[in-house]
Amino acid sequence: MREWRRHLHQYPETAFEETQTAQFVADRLTEFGLEVHRGLGKTGVVGTLRAGTPGKKIALRADMDALFIQEHNGFAHRSRHDGKMHACGHDGHTAMLLGAACHLAKHPNFNGTVYFIFQPAEECRAGAKEMIQDGLFSHFPADCVFGMHNFPDIPTGHFAVKSGAMMASFDCFEIIIKGEATHAAMPHLGNDAIVAAAQLITALQTIVSRNLNPADAAVVSITQIHAGDTWNAIPDTVTLRGTLRCFKTSLQTEIADRIQHLATGICAAFKVSVQTVFNPENLGYPVTWNSEAETALARQAATAVVGMDCVDLHPVPSMGSEDFAFMLQEKPGCYLWIGNGPSANSCLLHNPHYDFNDGILPIGAAYWVKLVETVCADAEKQFSL
């Protein structure tokens, strides 16, 4: 698994371009004796393993894509693709699921079917949604689906999992403000879109602090401002881009409505026009919501691997988002975190110094194996009752 992981780290591929990664995964699955399906969701790979008598159909998912980040590490397995890097640990996720597939193929101590889903384009391109629209669960009719992500600052050898909201929703917005350009020395002859934008940016911060219930966690952030290209001219257009995140679907709508209302009202007051667009390029992700029964099974498997004291059952949900949420909208399931160790050593996710902790590869693979055995044993028990 360490060799696989470091190979993948050296050759990172970004969303929907994971052709070499998909080939690597498909070759390993074929070596293990699994049925292999390629091309689902453009570059996705699904391996199928059946064992014993017909029973539960369980899907396990790992993401394969990298990020557009220039790696700053100096070790031998650093990225060889300039400007691209596995800065979120998807190389490790892929290696752990391959390790589980290898073990289960050699030791099929379960009754049922396992679908090993290797998904492209998790980072902002909704590869999970693409696979679903391409017939993922029609071709591979899983009863439940499970995901896992490494998490810096959770200790090595630990897991964290809870039912309900585990990760926040993710919505993007773009606000285009159009005024009337003029000489910077003569602002009275135009309508200043920049001043309107500044007022709007400040006002947007009141949505969370003054419009939402303080008990409901949410974030509204402006992440881009584009306007003008010279010193002595007030431009006619300002473009703002940002993101909103929360743990309730109802809040997604409420926050979006408030953004729209503030943009319209403030721009009208400054006599400039405005256009607000939500989720351009289909960027939005829903809340990652774990179902209770499947979370109990995940907790049972994690506890069997690392012990009860090493499984955090009350983690604080993350404002980060995850497109595995699309799969959880289709099937009951659970998404948990595996500790990657102190961020002082491995650094934080999406950081140019990040590296996946190879020491947790056997822990993650063991969790997948135990989960399959747990889910299929649970189904067998229910059937016998």
Side-chain angles (χ1 to χ4, degrees):
M1 284 188 290
R2 182 173 60 244
E3 289 181 11
W4 298 337
R5 205 282 297 180
R6 294 189 176 187
H7 170 82
L8 294 171
H9 191 93
Q10 286 181 294
Y11 302 99
E13 296 175 300
T14 50
F16 298 124
E17 297 177 349
E18 306 94 338
T19 54
Q20 293 183 17
T21 304
Q23 185 65 56
F24 181 89
V25 167
D27 288 346
R28 302 291 84 70
L29 295 176
T30 300
E31 290 172 4
F32 307 156
L34 274 65
E35 299 174 19
V36 179
H37 183 104
R38 294 192 57 182
L40 204 65
K42 298 181 181 179
T43 50
V45 180
V46 180
T48 301
L49 177 65
R50 298 180 180 86
T53 58
K56 199 86 167 179
K57 297 181 178 67
I58 176 176
L60 313 179
R61 172 271 205 176
D63 35 20
M64 301 188 296
D65 59 319
L67 288 150
F68 286 104
I69 292 178
Q70 182 65 46
E71 182 159 8
H72 290 173
N73 291 312
F75 44 61
H77 62 275
R78 66 186 179 275
S79 173
R80 297 185 181 181
H81 290 172
D82 192 49
K84 299 180 181 181
M85 176 191 176
H86 271 295
C88 202
H90 297 185
D91 49 348
H93 302 165
T94 298
M96 289 189 293
L97 191 55
L98 283 174
C102 179
H103 180 90
L104 287 167
K106 293 179 179 179
H107 309 282
N109 300 321
F110 66 95
N111 292 314
T113 303
V114 185
Y115 302 121
F116 299 90
I117 302 171
F118 294 87
Q119 180 211 303
E122 189 279 325
E123 300 288 356
C124 293
R125 296 297 300 276
K129 185 177 182 180
E130 190 81 16
M131 291 189 81
I132 291 167
Q133 292 176 340
D134 217 5
L136 174 64
F137 293 122
S138 298
H139 297 298
F140 308 99
D143 298 308
C144 49
V145 62
F146 294 84
M148 174 167 55
H149 202 293
N150 79 95
F151 218 94
D153 288 330
I154 293 178
T156 302
H158 287 239
F159 290 96
V161 64
K162 64 181 288 293
S163 59
M166 192 73 175
M167 305 280 284
S169 61
F170 165 60
D171 290 288
C172 291
F173 57 87
E174 180 179 76
I175 302 172
I176 302 172
I177 302 171
K178 292 188 176 181
E180 185 176 357
T182 184
H183 196 293
M186 306 171 190
H188 61 291
L189 298 180
N191 287 325
D192 194 336
I194 288 182
V195 172
Q199 294 290 330
L200 178 56
I201 291 170
T202 300
L204 290 174
Q205 305 312 307
T206 67
I207 294 175
V208 174
S209 66
R210 287 298 176 267
N211 298 129
L212 303 185
N213 187 328
D216 291 325
V219 169
V220 177
S221 294
I222 296 295
T223 58
Q224 298 181 48
I225 304 172
H226 302 278
D229 52 16
T230 188
W231 296 89
N232 61 348
I234 296 173
D236 62 356
T237 303
V238 178
T239 299
L240 306 177
R241 296 192 180 108
T243 179
L244 65 96
R245 296 164 186 262
C246 57
F247 296 115
K248 294 180 180 178
T249 302
S250 60
L251 286 183
Q252 288 179 269
T253 302
E254 183 177 350
I255 295 170
D257 288 345
R258 188 62 180 156
I259 290 172
Q260 181 77 62
H261 181 77
L262 285 171
T264 301
I266 289 173
C267 289
F270 282 88
K271 297 183 179 180
V272 295
S273 65
V274 64
Q275 178 186 10
T276 305
V277 179
F278 290 93
N279 294 326
E281 301 181 19
N282 200 27
L283 289 176
Y285 291 1
V287 178
T288 303
W289 190 271
N290 289 339
S291 54
E292 289 190 16
E294 283 66 32
T295 299
L297 292 167
R299 182 171 63 243
Q300 182 180 342
T303 299
V305 173
V306 298
M308 186 178 300
D309 292 341
C310 294
V311 181
D312 181 0
L313 304 181
H314 304 284
V316 177
S318 171
M319 273 295 172
S321 59
E322 169 60 63
D323 82 336
F324 183 68
F326 286 112
M327 295 190 184
L328 291 175
Q329 286 186 326
E330 300 292 320
K331 301 288 181 179
C334 180
Y335 180 85
L336 94 171
W337 299 328
I338 181 172
N340 198 55
S343 62
N345 295 326
S346 59
C347 222
L348 295 171
L349 302 175
H350 293 212
N351 184 291
H353 291 286
Y354 171 84
D355 191 32
F356 187 88
N357 180 358
D358 287 335
I360 71 172
L361 289 168
I363 301 170
Y367 163 74
W368 283 135
V369 170
K370 182 56 66 173
L371 180 64
V372 169
E373 295 173 351
T374 300
V375 169
C376 291
D378 181 73
E380 190 177 78
K381 179 181 178 181
Q382 291 180 8
F383 183 79
S384 66
L385 292 174

